[in-house]
Amino acid sequence: MTEISMAQALNAALRDAVKDDDRVLIFGEDVGPLGGVFRVTDGITADFGEERCFDTPLAESGIVGFAVGMAMGGFRPVVEMQFDAFAYPAFEQITSHVAKLRNRTRGALSLPMVIRIPYAGGIGGVEHHCDSSEAYYTHTPGLRVVTPGTPQDAYDLLRDAIDSPDPVVFLEPKCRYWSKETVSFTREGAAMDRAVVRREGKDVTLIAYGPMVATALETAEAATAEGWDVEVVDLRSLSPFDDETVTASVRRTGRAVVVHEAAGFGGYGAEVVARVTEQCFHQLHAPVLRVTGLDIPYPPPKLERHQLPDVDRILDTVARLQWNDEPVVAGA
């Protein structure tokens, strides 16, 4: 066990996957000798050779299309899109082919491939470099969509994604690349499709994922000054969704707030709110609320702080959860 950053944990996961399985190939824009824009693939080409980790032309649709062919041929490609909005030219390949090939061939062909996408904000990037595009992928049947909130989960989830027989969209929160914690490489964490409770509490559940997990945990600590005992659930897997863990938490606390950076209208949090409301209605003390990014194109770097949910915005939303009202008892 050693203290490393999330970027280093991802690098370790890629190295171990390449070492353990000759079918694993890493390719994309600048992932070779440069080591990627965020240095996630740093040193892999030097250590394993250009036949295992190599650069491609700047053509995202070509990168994913090439990966589809490689996966059909028995390889396990891991491709990088470099930035979230750069992946949009490959969207047709992802939705029309990556997500549908198993169904189209009645299970004769699977695509064990991983599409790594650095996503979300918090780095002072400009438009086209800071999108939160998770809802596009979770709306597409046939894709697994996961996102780590901690360095340990970055290692575990990426190893599991590479081993998966299904195509996985792997969303990496850019602003957490430099966060550090002690990481074990034993892969004893939760299964890839399970959420985890990061902090136990009894008054309200904060449901977060990716870049907002750390913000939710910070909020939970700050909430103690207001007399609130806050539970934090890290979704980890956006699709499939772990109803069991999430609803068990909300039934215990009776209140819930969903937090994400993406725009609110039609955002991923709306699906979470719907599922929680349908399954926990009689245990809820108040409506399930959301804290999200604004319904605008991503703002310039100097205005980014207004776009991102922070501790104060989340606490203000928690305060709206009808704390003076008694829960409604079914049948009363």
Side-chain angles (χ1 to χ4, degrees):
M1 298 180 69
T2 183
E3 184 176 86
I4 59 176
S5 68
M6 180 179 287
Q8 291 171 319
L10 293 166
N11 182 277
L14 291 169
R15 287 176 171 274
D16 289 347
V18 170
K19 181 174 60 178
D20 292 347
D21 191 338
D22 291 339
R23 299 172 297 172
V24 175
L25 304 175
I26 301 167
F27 52 93
E29 299 168 4
D30 297 323
V31 301
L34 178 66
V37 172
F38 299 99
R39 300 301 185 267
V40 171
T41 56
D42 189 38
I44 296 179
T45 298
D47 292 343
F48 294 95
E50 291 188 349
E51 68 276 7
R52 302 297 302 279
C53 181
F54 52 90
D55 291 333
T56 65
L58 303 182
E60 289 78 11
S61 62
I63 294 170
V64 174
F66 179 51
V68 169
M70 296 294 284
M72 291 173 65
F75 290 93
R76 288 182 174 266
V78 181
V79 303
E80 179 182 304
M81 294 286 98
Q82 197 171 80
F83 284 98
D84 29 51
F86 289 12
Y88 297 151
F91 195 66
E92 194 276 332
Q93 290 280 356
I94 295 170
T95 57
S96 295
H97 304 294
V98 175
K100 295 180 172 65
L101 191 64
R102 182 193 293 275
N103 184 71
R104 185 182 301 139
T105 62
R106 298 185 180 181
L109 286 174
S110 60
L111 293 180
M113 58 184 288
V114 178
I115 302 171
R116 293 181 43 242
I117 303 177
Y119 86 118
I123 63 166
V126 296
E127 187 182 13
H128 302 305
H129 292 73
C130 290
D131 272 15
S132 295
S133 47
E134 56 268 31
Y136 298 134
Y137 302 110
T138 59
H139 185 68
T140 305
L143 299 175
R144 288 182 179 268
V145 184
V146 300
T147 179
T150 68
Q152 180 67 66
D153 252 9
Y155 180 84
D156 291 339
L157 283 174
L158 187 51
R159 291 300 309 274
D160 289 347
I162 295 171
D163 287 346
S164 173
D166 303 310
V168 180
V169 175
F170 194 93
L171 300 172
E172 301 172 5
K174 295 190 292 287
C175 68
R176 304 301 176 192
Y177 273 141
W178 302 277
S179 62
K180 290 187 174 182
E181 73 172 352
T182 301
V183 174
S184 167
F185 304 112
T186 58
R187 300 180 66 183
E188 295 177 351
M192 183 171 64
D193 59 353
R194 301 292 290 184
V196 297
V197 176
R198 295 286 177 200
R199 184 186 191 277
E200 294 185 350
K202 62 181 177 61
D203 295 329
V204 56
T205 299
L206 291 185
I207 303 169
Y209 55 88
M212 285 290 107
V213 172
T215 305
L217 289 168
E218 185 181 353
T219 302
E221 292 300 319
T224 59
E226 305 293 335
W228 297 316
D229 188 9
V230 176
E231 183 151 300
V232 176
V233 174
D234 177 358
L235 292 181
R236 303 173 75 247
S237 174
L238 305 186
S239 180
F241 185 81
D242 182 4
D243 289 283
E244 181 180 0
T245 301
V246 175
T247 57
S249 174
V250 176
R251 288 182 182 123
R252 285 195 303 271
T253 65
R255 294 177 172 88
V257 174
V258 183
V259 185
H260 63 65
E261 285 190 25
F265 188 86
Y268 182 79
E271 175 66 23
V272 179
V273 171
R275 298 176 84 94
V276 169
T277 301
E278 290 170 3
Q279 298 177 66
C280 304
F281 182 78
H282 294 295
Q283 289 81 33
L284 288 173
H285 301 180
V288 182
L289 301 180
R290 290 177 291 164
V291 183
T292 72
L294 307 178
D295 293 331
I296 59 173
Y298 205 84
K302 289 185 178 180
L303 300 176
E304 185 181 47
R305 68 185 185 278
H306 301 296
Q307 167 79 1
L308 304 177
D310 60 14
V311 171
D312 288 339
R313 282 179 60 192
I314 300 172
L315 287 177
D316 288 345
T317 304
V318 171
R320 293 167 46 207
L321 290 172
Q322 301 180 11
W323 292 96
N324 295 324
D325 293 347
E326 292 297 323
V328 176
V329 179

